[in-house]
Structures are given as structure tokens and as C-alpha cells.
Amino acid sequence: MARKIPLRRCVATGEQLPKKQLIRVVKNKEGLVFVDPTGKMNGRGAYLKRSEEAINLARKKGVLDKSLEIEVPDSIYEELLKYVEE
């Protein structure tokens, strides 16, 4: 039997995609926001599609701020864009 591929919803585009095609952004208990390339850090997570469009859309609409219930600094978006370019 094939293993089930974990699907997650991109907070910007609303698409359901395999976890590997998404980048996780995490807010920890201290209220700090990180890009989580492993997908295993503790804290509240939100997923974004690995595309420039999705990241720019998330920034414009403020969807990460809403889903993590905190203001996400611009540096996080810059870091996300670096992951997309790789």
C-alpha cells in the first residue's frame, strides 16, 4: 500500500499541496517568527507554496499575520524568497 502523502493548505493561495512543495513559517511561544525548512519546529505553523507569487500575495494580503496572529517582519518574507530561488 502506498504511503499517504501529507497535504497542507497554502495560506496565500488556498491550494492543497504535498508538504514538500510548501515552506512552513512558525511562531514560537516567545512570539518569534521563523522560517522552518524542516517542517518540524515547535510552535504554530502556517504553510506557503514555494513560489514567488504565493509569497508576495501573502505579504500583500497579510495572511501570515492573520494565521500566526502576529505581525510578520519583512525579513521573513525576504528569507522565504531566498528559499524559492534555490
Side-chain angles (χ1 to χ4, degrees):
M1 197 170 91
R3 270 185 63 212
K4 206 168 146 251
I5 299 166
L7 293 176
R8 297 291 180 268
R9 189 174 299 279
C10 169
V11 290
T13 64
E15 295 171 84
Q16 268 203 326
L17 296 160
K19 218 170 147 181
K20 287 202 173 16
Q21 291 176 25
L22 300 157
I23 310 173
R24 187 167 181 251
V25 181
V26 175
K27 180 184 82 172
N28 67 10
K29 282 194 180 77
E30 288 74 48
L32 299 169
V33 180
F34 299 100
V35 176
D36 175 13
T38 62
K40 291 178 171 62
M41 284 167 79
N42 287 331
R44 185 175 176 85
Y47 290 89
L48 275 175
K49 188 176 171 185
R50 278 182 191 264
S51 78
E52 219 172 296
E53 297 83 36
I55 292 163
N56 290 330
L57 185 70
R59 180 186 250 171
K60 204 170 90 186
K61 286 164 82 181
V63 288
L64 272 183
D65 300 22
K66 283 189 199 94
S67 60
L68 296 176
E69 297 165 0
I70 193 170
E71 202 173 306
V72 177
D74 277 345
S75 60
I76 292 291
Y77 292 104
E78 302 306 323
E79 200 181 325
L80 285 167
L81 288 168
K82 281 195 193 90
Y83 280 104
V84 171
E85 287 156 19
E86 283 171 18

